[in-house]
Amino acid sequence: MKKNASSSSFGPGGLDLTSAFFKPILKSDPPIPSNRCTKISVVGVGNVGMAIGQTILTQDLADEIALVDANPDKLRGEMLDLQQHAAAFLPRTRFTASVDYDITAGSDLCIVTAGARQNPGESRLNLLQRNVAIFRHIIPPLAKLSPNSILLIVSNPVDVLTYVAWKLSGFPVNRVLGSGTNLDSSRFRFLIADHLDVNAQDVQAFIVGEHGDSSVALWSSISVGGIPLLSFLEKQQIAYEKQNLEDIHQTVVGSAYEVIKLKGYTSWAIGYSVANLARTILRDQRKIHPVTVLARGFYGVEGGDVFLSLPALLGRNGVVAVTNVHMTDEEAEKLQKSAKTILEMQSQLGL
């Protein structure tokens, strides 16, 4: 995306605000040249993988979609169902499907959803050991066949597995990210919008930290229609209970568990969430999303290379920068505690 000469300055002095709003990603590589044809590979054609693939297809985000899975019959069935039988109703997109990773060669974006399914009531972090072994067979061939691609991890526990993907791929840190709390934040915005009877698109709100039980709701930075929520309530002397705020956050945390309990898995919302990320990245839209990134050095997170969700500026080169969003001391402490929770799990991996 080309910037106008005045796009980052305000006033007669030409004050550059870009460096104030965003912190750059260190050791990132140069921008990736855009190709005329866009190719997306999806590894794992379970409920989540196919929801993502179907949403990407209907939103016409790729010229070619490659599907990879260990089950050849499932692969062929999904490809026939989407490409051949529904071709008359969909954008003209080339489909390939195989158990062989060779079909992913030259991908612009590789989306990984493969992994052991989360059981009802099972914490995302409990999935870790089962999924790390799977990633050892997935990430190296993806990195070898598409050395300029961006890796987008969706498999849970997404924060630790994004770290695993970064280590196994050898990619620069800006080209490895996870879906993180992008969906959690969407749920958060919906609940706030529902309370206020407004459109969720008019609510700016973030869930950060772990995609899971230790996530952090950034109440201090929420705005509705450009109006800071909590400061507005205080100025208007409108009383609110902190417990009510915490209850909303806990509803967000438990949302996925409730869906899994009712239908056995989550699919459609994460499909739209990941397709939204794919659009931002491949079309260089420079939008801010709460996604899993290397968090060391941001908001007081130290102690190691920990990946967790922060509001990040995304573009064609992956993670462009991390947003300097306002946090209270309490919120920053909770974020740092969330980082320690993830680091404890990472320390057992030996990577």
Side-chain angles (χ1 to χ4, degrees):
M1 180 181 291
K2 188 177 180 181
K3 293 172 63 176
N4 296 324
S6 60
S7 62
S8 63
S9 62
F10 281 97
L15 176 63
D16 187 349
L17 294 180
T18 301
S19 59
F21 272 95
F22 304 105
K23 289 186 178 180
I25 298 298
L26 300 178
K27 298 182 179 179
S28 62
D29 58 354
I32 302 169
S34 60
N35 298 320
R36 181 169 297 178
C37 293
T38 302
K39 180 175 181 178
I40 298 176
S41 290
V42 179
V43 180
V45 296
N47 296 306
V48 171
M50 288 314 301
I52 292 169
Q54 189 266 351
T55 309
I56 287 172
L57 175 64
T58 55
Q59 293 187 6
D60 200 13
L61 299 180
D63 300 291
E64 180 177 354
I65 298 175
L67 303 176
V68 179
D69 197 275
N71 186 335
D73 291 338
K74 179 79 160 58
L75 269 172
R76 178 164 173 76
E78 295 289 6
M79 187 180 72
L80 286 173
D81 199 12
L82 269 180
Q83 183 182 36
Q84 296 185 17
H85 300 172
F89 316 114
L90 296 169
R92 190 169 182 266
T93 301
R94 181 171 180 260
F95 260 94
T96 55
S98 177
V99 297
D100 193 329
Y101 283 86
D102 286 348
I103 66 164
T104 67
S107 294
D108 299 285
L109 178 65
C110 295
I111 302 171
V112 181
T113 73
R117 180 183 291 182
Q118 185 179 16
N119 297 317
E122 181 182 19
S123 170
R124 291 181 176 93
L125 293 180
N126 289 336
L127 289 170
L128 179 58
Q129 294 298 343
R130 289 194 287 156
N131 283 329
V132 169
I134 295 172
F135 266 48
R136 292 184 184 275
H137 297 284
I138 293 174
I139 302 302
L142 288 178
K144 181 180 179 180
L145 292 163
S146 301
N148 295 318
S149 69
I150 294 167
L151 289 176
L152 175 53
I153 309 304
V154 182
S155 311
N156 279 316
V158 67
D159 305 297
V160 180
L161 290 179
T162 304
Y163 165 79
V164 171
W166 176 55
K167 283 291 188 180
L168 294 176
S169 68
F171 278 8
V173 70
N174 60 297
R175 289 201 282 118
V176 184
L177 66 152
S179 54
T181 58
N182 194 54
L183 179 54
D184 306 64
S185 297
S186 174
R187 291 167 174 151
F188 191 36
R189 292 167 65 190
F190 163 76
L191 290 172
I192 296 169
D194 194 47
H195 274 72
L196 299 175
D197 195 23
V198 299
N199 193 306
Q201 293 185 0
D202 289 320
V203 177
Q204 185 83 10
F206 294 119
I207 299 285
V208 298
E210 179 204 353
H211 172 54
D213 300 336
S214 70
S215 64
V216 183
L218 298 185
W219 286 99
S220 65
S221 63
I222 293 175
S223 65
V224 180
I227 302 170
L229 180 61
L230 295 191
S231 61
F232 173 79
L233 295 178
E234 291 168 359
K235 287 178 181 178
Q236 297 297 317
Q237 296 183 343
I238 300 173
Y240 63 90
E241 295 288 339
K242 279 197 171 183
Q243 186 57 48
N244 293 339
L245 305 185
E246 182 58 27
D247 289 345
I248 293 175
H249 178 215
Q250 288 307 313
T251 300
V252 173
V253 173
S255 295
Y257 298 127
E258 182 180 9
V259 173
I260 291 169
K261 180 180 178 181
L262 292 171
K263 61 179 274 190
Y265 56 89
T266 59
S267 58
W268 296 117
I270 187 64
Y272 281 104
S273 174
V274 173
N276 184 239
L277 296 175
R279 177 187 296 274
T280 295
I281 292 168
L282 295 176
R283 297 188 177 176
D284 198 26
Q285 291 187 333
R286 299 294 176 116
K287 292 175 66 177
I288 297 169
H289 295 269
V291 291
T292 304
V293 298
L294 180 61
R296 186 179 63 179
F298 297 109
Y299 302 106
V301 174
E302 301 294 345
D305 292 329
V306 61
F307 278 72
L308 50 74
S309 284
L310 295 173
L313 182 68
L314 304 183
R316 187 60 186 83
N317 206 36
V319 183
V320 179
V322 171
T323 311
N324 278 325
V325 67
H326 171 73
M327 287 188 198
T328 64
D329 291 341
E330 181 183 1
E331 289 168 344
E333 288 174 6
K334 288 181 178 179
L335 178 65
Q336 292 155 20
K337 184 178 179 180
S338 183
K340 289 178 181 178
T341 299
I342 299 169
L343 275 170
E344 288 174 3
M345 299 302 299
Q346 287 182 190
S347 65
Q348 302 174 27
L349 303 180
L351 291 175

